[in-house]
Amino acid sequence: MLKSSAVAGPAPSSLVGLVGKWRKTHQNKNLTRPLHFSTTGQASFPNPKSSSAPMEVEIKLRLPDSTAHQQLSDALSPFHVKTLAQENVFFDGEGSELVKNLAALRLRFYDLDSHCVLSLKAKPVISSGISRVEEQEESVDPSVGRACVDDPGRLLLFGSSDIIKRVREEYNVKGLVCLGGFRNVRAVYDWKGLKLELDETVYDFGTSYEIECESAEPERDKILIERFLEENGIMYSYSNVNKFAVFRSRKLPD
């Protein structure tokens, strides 16, 4: 499945500028410090009920290094739509109620806080490069999101949020902890009617590279993407863990 890759040139100047501005703005922020808030003295453990959250289905193919990432970026450049700078911050219950039940609560900030999205993902399954996970998303004012990073308990006060209602009722979370997070530069492409997302994910223990594609027919579309990679001599493998799992393990995939 692995194909040889050619030596690529430097990253496009627009992407370099975006990453530089982003890192300068956030260079003093610590995404791994634990922040605590408790609304009760003790958290109890949940017995989550089945939910009717939408299912996100994605193709996830891992690239081995920056050379393969640059080579794919060059091959897809005629189809480029936009590049996003993302900052992902995760939360869990004080008793690890979410993690223990394969759920992840996340705030994602886009492009130097131009907007922010709260999401809850649950019951992830990934096999042969195809990921399936329950996902709910809600928009949040970026300034409110930043306040929640500093004081995670603010999230539990989102009375009109269906996500927070699930966190409180389905998972019985009484207090929240900020787990920290990671940053991601995502280049988006419109290729053969598919939305391809090329990621450079920066953890505090290393950098990983991946291409993703949300799809209603993942088996068919995975073949198209693999063929394109092989035709361009780009090495790849099937992703077998998601980014949150990598973050939690503090180890890049082999």
Side-chain angles (χ1 to χ4, degrees), residues 203 205-206 208 241 243 245-254:
Y203 305 95
F205 50 87
S208 67
V241 292
K243 292 181 178 68
V246 173
F247 164 69
R248 291 277 295 163
S249 72
R250 297 191 59 79
K251 180 183 178 183
L252 296 178
D254 295 328

Side-chain angles (χ1 to χ4, degrees), residues 28-221:
N28 294 323
K29 294 182 180 178
N30 183 351
L31 289 184
T32 59
R33 60 192 175 102
L35 301 170
H36 301 270
F37 180 92
S38 177
T39 56
T40 66
Q42 184 176 1
S44 57
F45 292 91
N47 181 19
K49 299 170 287 185
S50 60
S51 68
S52 56
M55 184 69 68
E56 177 191 59
V57 181
E58 288 184 310
I59 301 154
K60 290 179 178 282
L61 303 178
R62 187 171 65 85
L63 304 174
D65 51 34
S66 59
T67 298
H69 176 273
Q70 183 61 58
Q71 190 178 2
L72 181 52
S73 176
D74 291 343
L76 286 172
S77 60
F79 312 101
H80 182 258
V81 176
K82 58 185 175 181
T83 298
L84 303 170
Q86 303 172 336
E87 181 182 344
N88 303 279
V89 184
F90 296 88
F91 304 84
D92 197 4
E94 290 181 327
S96 302
E97 293 91 344
L98 297 176
V99 169
K100 288 179 179 178
N101 286 280
L102 301 180
L105 182 65
R106 181 191 70 197
L107 280 172
R108 172 175 284 173
F109 299 89
Y110 289 84
D111 296 333
L112 307 177
D113 292 2
S114 66
H115 70 285
C116 176
V117 174
L118 174 68
S119 68
L120 179 65
K121 295 195 175 189
K123 303 176 184 176
V125 176
I126 185 166
S127 176
S128 300
I130 296 175
S131 167
R132 293 175 171 84
V133 61
E134 292 182 1
E135 181 184 50
Q136 282 180 274
E137 293 187 329
E138 297 171 355
S139 294
V140 175
D141 183 280
S143 63
V144 174
R146 287 294 176 194
C148 291
V149 174
D150 290 332
D151 182 358
R154 288 175 178 261
L155 282 169
L156 294 178
L157 303 179
F158 286 10
S160 61
S161 167
D162 289 337
I163 288 176
I164 297 304
K165 182 178 180 181
R166 282 189 66 196
V167 167
R168 295 177 67 102
E169 297 181 3
E170 190 172 315
Y171 294 92
N172 201 21
V173 171
K174 306 299 184 183
L176 286 172
V177 177
C178 180
L179 302 178
F182 54 84
R183 299 180 176 113
N184 187 57
V185 177
R186 170 166 289 175
V188 181
Y189 304 89
D190 183 357
W191 178 80
K192 294 185 180 293
L194 300 176
K195 180 182 177 181
L196 303 185
E197 298 172 332
L198 180 58
D199 288 346
E200 177 184 2
T201 306
V202 182
Y203 305 95
D204 63 3
F205 50 87
T207 302
S208 67
Y209 307 91
E210 191 173 40
I211 184 167
E212 298 183 352
C213 176
E214 191 165 350
S215 174
E217 298 186 58
E219 288 80 8
R220 180 202 65 184
D221 294 339

Side-chain angles (χ1 to χ4, degrees), residues 14-27 112 185:
S14 58
L15 181 58
V16 172
L18 175 62
V19 175
K21 182 178 180 182
W22 178 41
R23 286 174 176 167
K24 181 177 179 182
T25 301
H26 294 278
Q27 63 185 350
L112 307 177
V185 177

